[in-house]
Amino acid sequence: MSFASPMIQEQANMPEPAAAAAKVAARNVNVYYGEKHALKDVSVDIPVRAVTSFIGPSGCGKSTFLRCINRMNDTIPICRVTGDITIDGKDIYDSRLDVVLLRARVGMVFQKPNPFPKSIYENVAYGPRLHGMARSKTELDEIVVNSLKRASLFEEVKDRLQESGTGLSGGQQQRLCIARAIAVSPEVILMDEPCSALDPIATAKIEELIDELRSNFTIVIVTHSMQQAARVSQRTAFFHLGSLVEEGSTEQIFTNPKDKRTQDYITGRFG
Amino acid sequence: MTQHIVRAYDEELGALSVKINQMGGIAEAMLTDAIDALVRHDVGKARGVIERDGQLDALQNEIEELAVLVIAKRQPMANDLRHIMGTIRIASDIERIGDLMKNIAKRVTVMEERFIGTRSLAGIQHMAHLVLGQVKAVLDGFAQKSSDLARHVWLHDGEVDQLNNSLFRELLTYMMEDPRSITFSTHLLFIAKNIERAGDHATNIAETVFFIETGQQLSGPRPKGESSVFAVSAPGK
């Protein structure tokens, strides 16, 4: 697969160049669930070390697109993906690519916190151990502690690392899932509505965490909260009926969107 | 404009616009009456202008409170947010126009009648007429959501400035010819300046209306005629 030809780049739905270098580049991505055409010709650049948010009404394709970035859609038998998605210029749909390794590079945090029914320590240690990232117990301990610290959870759990991860509060569980995701040193972190099950305080902590993480990771977040998108992201993309309607700096999208559909959606004029 | 899913939101935004229109109506009437009171030396009318300023202050407060409430309740975005921020700014500009008219009316109540009737009054009337036209046009632009009307007002401020400039020279001449007219002429100078500043507020409103409608700032060259600060008072000029 290759980058889009100059002719394709002239198409109207091509994004303006993103502010920073693109970590993830998608060109003419289409997704079909059986007969259903769920995502139509999406082309977008996701900048490195920044937060990009995907917004749009339910069923607009934003989560579908998010799941293309670490090939989570491969797990759905009737799902078919066409087009190009590259990370650092390398095609992630290359048949020679190891999907397990891809998902280590592109971590994911889900809507509902889903810690393993294991200890807090094991939740974080699982990935690094699986990928052989630690040569000794000391090294593994170090990774676990660092990951918990970076997820702003360490202080709250340092005295009970052997207790079950499922015993934590919802907000703590979600931060544990983020610690688990960053333990394998991914380059990209995908978050699918990471705060929708959390109260405002826990949400604020996750948002603060996202802001800290963006200096090291490329983060993509799907959110139904436009205020959250406005607060945490630098770029915003609006999806509607399977198409990418508009993508731009978050500031521009929320203060002066170019497309009427974007404006109607963010101002609460259609559902 | 498509309506919001939540109808009460539309009603709140509508209420803000209605209050701006009310303020605009009061300010326009104050401008007309203040100049009328000056020309006819009608102290009663001048006092009426002074009293009406309180209504503008009250409406401005109502607009600010409602705007804060809407922001807190609805977390407005894009054009809605610009509309709300715009009404706060416009309310402040109209309130300032009211203050300027109140100041003119106050001067009328203390001015000596015997100088009334000089030619300068015609110039002031002309200026006031122009500014009134600007204020009306820009408020129509707000009501009609017209960025074109806003731009038109913004481009036509220069004439008022030029009139103020020539009036300034004229009054200087009078003062040199007859020192007894200095007090009266000084009042007129301030009155002319107040009218000119009311025109500036109309221009500010034009910028705000343009921003509400387009999300862009008005920019580019604009004719400026004001140069009274540089006028020379050398005799015989």
Side-chain angles (χ1 to χ4, degrees):
Chain A
M1 293 200 197
S2 64
F3 277 111
S5 70
M7 195 182 73
I8 292 169
Q9 285 184 347
E10 281 167 15
Q11 284 179 3
N13 68 343
M14 293 300 283
E16 289 173 24
K23 179 75 182 176
V24 181
R27 292 293 177 271
N28 304 98
V29 173
N30 284 276
V31 177
Y32 304 85
Y33 292 117
E35 289 297 301
K36 188 178 157 46
H37 195 176
L39 205 62
K40 298 163 190 164
D41 262 333
V42 171
S43 297
V44 68
D45 284 339
I46 293 168
V48 68
R49 281 187 291 280
V51 182
T52 301
S53 57
F54 294 167
I55 59 168
S58 296
C60 68
K62 56 191 188 302
S63 291
T64 295
F65 182 58
L66 188 79
R67 294 162 60 90
C68 290
I69 301 172
N70 67 348
R71 292 182 57 178
M72 285 293 277
N73 288 324
D74 290 12
T75 60
I76 303 167
I78 58 163
C79 182
R80 190 160 59 86
V81 180
T82 67
D84 294 347
I85 299 179
T86 58
I87 294 180
D88 293 335
K90 302 257 167 49
D91 176 21
I92 63 164
Y93 280 84
D94 189 318
S95 55
R96 290 162 298 181
L97 183 124
D98 182 343
V99 179
V100 176
L101 283 181
L102 171 71
R103 291 182 193 145
R105 287 174 66 200
V106 185
M108 195 159 188
V109 176
F110 297 86
Q111 182 172 2
K112 209 163 158 262
N114 55 352
F116 303 135
K118 292 169 179 289
S119 70
I120 293 167
Y121 181 95
E122 277 305 314
N123 261 281
V124 184
Y126 187 83
R129 192 184 285 134
L130 185 75
H131 291 287
M133 291 170 67
R135 278 166 300 179
S136 65
K137 175 80 169 74
T138 325
E139 267 188 31
L140 191 60
D141 287 352
E142 210 171 289
I143 292 173
V144 170
V145 170
N146 276 337
S147 301
L148 287 169
K149 277 184 179 165
R150 291 172 86 178
S152 309
L153 186 62
F154 185 68
E155 287 306 313
E156 292 164 57
V157 300
K158 61 182 174 190
D159 301 324
R160 46 176 172 148
L161 291 177
Q162 297 312 318
E163 287 175 28
S164 173
T166 53
L168 297 170
S169 74
Q172 289 172 328
Q173 285 188 19
Q174 195 61 303
R175 277 179 283 151
L176 179 60
C177 292
I178 293 173
R180 184 178 65 189
I182 60 185
V184 292
S185 301
E187 296 155 46
V188 181
I189 303 175
L190 309 177
M191 299 186 172
D192 195 351
E193 293 191 56
C195 300
S196 62
L198 305 181
D199 71 24
I201 306 283
T203 298
K205 285 183 183 164
I206 300 282
E207 287 181 7
E208 170 64 18
L209 176 57
I210 291 172
D211 207 42
E212 281 168 22
L213 293 176
R214 83 175 154 97
S215 53
N216 293 304
F217 302 98
T218 298
I219 298 173
V220 188
I221 177 170
V222 163
T223 175
H224 270 138
S225 161
M226 279 169 292
Q227 279 69 35
Q228 179 168 66
R231 286 190 300 260
V232 304
S233 66
Q234 287 74 53
R235 306 284 300 177
T236 296
F238 169 61
F239 289 80
H240 185 48
L241 300 174
S243 298
L244 174 66
V245 172
E246 186 171 354
E247 190 269 344
S249 77
T250 297
E251 193 182 283
Q252 179 251 316
I253 295 285
F254 287 107
T255 59
N256 197 15
K258 293 192 183 100
D259 195 287
K260 187 173 183 302
R261 288 167 293 175
T262 315
Q263 171 148 306
D264 282 351
Y265 180 70
I266 63 169
T267 58
R269 285 184 167 85
F270 70 68
Chain B
M1 177 68 64
T2 331
Q3 295 200 321
H4 287 93
I5 299 161
V6 179
R7 207 178 307 149
Y9 190 1
D10 283 324
E11 287 163 12
E12 287 159 1
L13 293 176
L16 282 172
S17 298
V18 167
K19 284 181 198 295
I20 289 288
N21 292 338
Q22 283 175 339
M23 282 189 81
I26 294 170
E28 286 169 17
M30 283 171 77
L31 174 56
T32 309
D33 287 357
I35 302 308
D36 210 34
L38 169 69
V39 174
R40 296 167 197 273
H41 200 256
D42 184 339
V43 175
K45 199 167 216 172
R47 294 220 169 89
V49 172
I50 295 167
E51 281 161 19
R52 256 176 293 170
D53 187 48
Q55 295 174 20
L56 282 186
D57 293 349
L59 275 165
Q60 191 201 3
N61 288 340
E62 286 174 29
I63 285 172
E64 282 184 1
E65 282 165 20
L66 181 56
V68 167
L69 186 69
V70 177
I71 291 170
K73 276 204 315 202
R74 313 283 179 202
Q75 286 96 46
M77 290 284 190
N79 56 339
D80 293 334
L81 183 55
R82 297 201 303 269
H83 178 83
I84 294 166
M85 299 313 289
T87 54
I88 295 173
R89 288 188 56 181
I90 293 171
S92 157
D93 277 313
I94 300 178
E95 192 272 335
R96 289 294 300 142
I97 293 175
D99 285 347
L100 294 165
M101 295 310 120
K102 180 179 163 185
N103 183 274
I104 292 176
K106 274 185 177 169
R107 289 182 189 280
V108 171
T109 62
V110 298
M111 280 164 95
E112 293 169 86
E113 198 172 353
R114 62 189 170 123
F115 289 102
I116 306 278
T118 59
R119 275 181 299 150
S120 308
L121 281 180
I124 286 196
Q125 272 181 295
H126 188 192
M127 258 181 91
H129 179 73
L130 285 177
V131 168
L132 185 64
Q134 291 276 84
V135 172
K136 278 191 167 144
V138 82
L139 291 171
D140 285 349
F142 172 76
Q144 295 165 18
K145 303 180 183 301
S146 166
S147 56
D148 288 342
L149 210 46
R151 185 196 290 276
H152 181 83
V153 169
W154 187 75
L155 286 171
H156 288 81
D157 182 49
E159 207 176 337
V160 175
D161 293 340
Q162 276 168 5
L163 267 174
N164 187 38
N165 193 22
S166 66
L167 203 67
F168 185 87
R169 290 172 187 282
E170 192 181 325
L171 287 166
L172 280 184
T173 315
Y174 290 152
M175 286 190 269
M176 282 184 285
E177 281 172 2
D178 181 0
R180 287 170 303 169
S181 75
I182 286 178
T183 309
F184 180 79
S185 297
T186 308
H187 278 305
L188 286 192
L189 278 180
F190 277 110
I191 286 171
K193 189 69 193 164
N194 281 354
I195 296 168
E196 187 261 325
R197 281 166 66 195
D200 288 344
H201 286 289
T203 311
N204 286 351
I205 296 173
E207 286 169 1
T208 305
V209 170
F210 192 86
F211 179 71
I212 293 173
E213 297 310 326
T214 66
Q216 311 287 324
Q217 304 288 351
L218 264 171
S219 59
R222 189 161 73 99
K224 285 299 289 180
E226 227 281 309
S227 61
S228 65
V229 281
F230 306 120
V232 183
S233 61
K237 236 192 139 185

